[in-house]
């Protein structure tokens, strides 16, 4: 009893004080558990299991990722490794992105263009990876400069769906901005002042993110919900 509440307390403390949690796709394992640490590359000391129920069916064109985040801001990366027990997460789906605010942060269709490009480079495409196993590595770098890691295991499935809007929306004041070179000119400044980001056909870095409730209409948008 005492032991249980100690663990619960420690885990709550961990969540409250720092770090982040991957809520969807369901993470590989609880990286707040004893013996694990989000400071540890590549997956917080959480090993991949053969438990198939721990593997989320995820669209082969890029699926949703929902995090519970706890820092005022964090440079955020999502990398993908194709295969089972991968040691190399060599396809970057999200880069150059500063995730802001804490609470729930959701990417509806993560890195669609980057995934397609990464697959093409490897001689693959959304069709040929259907049914393949892969792992996502999510990294956050907050104010101290140290990296936090979490992983989630997936199976690509062309009939898997994105999270519906009511399961994929950002908390108030949670969002993010792409990182651009200082002084660079926005290529598309038609961002609307509300969160109703419309789909963009732009191939810019921001367009492939499509953060929910944030304006992602090209490289140059700024404003937003920070
Ligand atoms: Cu932290």
């Amino acid at each position: 009893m005492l032991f249980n509440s100690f663990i619960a307390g420690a885990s709550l403390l961990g969540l409250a004080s720092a770090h982040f949690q991957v809520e969807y796709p369901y993470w590989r394992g609880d990286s707040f558990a004893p013996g694990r640490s989000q400071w540890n590359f590549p997956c917080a000391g959480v090993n991949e299991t053969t438990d198939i129920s721990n593997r989320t069916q995820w669209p082969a064109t890029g699926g949703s990722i929902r995090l519970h985040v706890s820092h005022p801001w964090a440079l955020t990366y999502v990398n993908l490794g194709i295969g089972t027990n991968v040691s190399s997460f060599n396809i970057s789906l999200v880069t150059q992105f500063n995730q802001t605010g804490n609470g729930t942060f959701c990417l509806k269709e993560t890195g669609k263009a980057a995934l397609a490009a990464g697959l093409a480079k490897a001689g693959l495409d959304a069709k040929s990876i259907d049914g393949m196993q892969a792992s996502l590595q999510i990294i956050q770098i907050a104010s101290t400069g140290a990296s936090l890691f979490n992983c989630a295991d997936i199976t690509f499935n062309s009939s898997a769906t994105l999270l519906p809007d009511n399961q994929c929306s950002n908390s108030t004041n949670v969002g993010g901005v792409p990182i651009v070179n200082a002084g660079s000119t926005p290529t598309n400044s038609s961002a609307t002042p509300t969160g109703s980001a419309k789909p963009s056909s732009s191939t810019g870095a921001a367009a492939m993110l499509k953060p929910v409730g944030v304006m992602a209409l090209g490289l140059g948008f700024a404003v937003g919900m920070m």
Side-chain angles (χ1 to χ4, degrees):
M1 197 67 109
L2 190 62
F3 182 71
N4 279 346
S5 50
F6 170 73
I7 297 294
S11 155
L12 279 174
L13 192 66
L15 281 171
S17 62
H19 300 359
F20 72 104
Q21 190 173 346
V22 184
E23 297 179 337
Y24 187 89
Y26 190 70
W27 61 3
R28 179 175 289 185
D30 181 1
S31 55
F32 294 104
R36 296 168 173 175
S37 168
Q38 291 188 13
W39 306 116
N40 292 346
F41 174 90
C43 293
V46 186
N47 293 323
E48 192 169 309
T49 71
T50 52
D51 181 359
I52 200 74
S53 68
N54 203 36
R55 206 169 260 289
T56 303
Q57 304 288 315
W58 211 65
T61 51
S64 305
I65 291 181
R66 190 176 71 221
L67 309 176
H68 188 83
V69 294
S70 67
H71 296 104
W73 59 268
L75 303 181
T76 299
Y77 300 80
V78 178
N79 298 322
L80 172 81
I82 295 177
T84 307
N85 275 316
V86 291
S87 52
S88 169
F89 295 85
N90 57 349
I91 299 178
S92 292
L93 303 183
V94 174
T95 62
Q96 297 174 276
F97 184 67
N98 186 19
Q99 185 276 311
T100 55
N102 59 75
T104 298
F105 175 73
C106 193
L107 293 165
K108 181 112 178 171
E109 192 172 30
T110 309
K112 185 175 185 166
L115 176 58
L119 292 177
K121 235 179 178 175
L124 300 166
D125 60 21
K127 215 169 179 180
S128 62
I129 60 163
D130 195 14
M132 279 189 190
Q133 297 192 338
S135 294
L136 294 163
Q137 177 194 51
I138 297 129
I139 306 171
Q140 288 213 307
I141 305 173
S143 56
T144 63
S147 302
L148 299 166
F149 299 92
N150 271 307
C151 292
D153 301 314
I154 59 172
T155 300
F156 283 114
N157 183 338
S158 57
S159 53
T161 54
L162 302 176
L163 283 181
D165 287 346
N166 64 358
Q167 291 173 38
C168 189
S169 58
N170 294 337
S171 303
T172 307
N173 297 322
V174 173
V177 286
I179 297 162
V180 297
N181 288 332
S184 67
T185 314
T187 53
N188 182 343
S189 52
S190 63
T192 49
T194 64
S196 57
K198 61 184 180 216
S200 169
S201 58
S202 161
T203 54
M208 69 196 183
L209 293 165
K210 289 193 184 142
V212 172
V214 182
M215 284 115 307
L217 302 176
L219 276 171
F221 80 88
V223 288
M225 316 177 69
M226 288 79 23

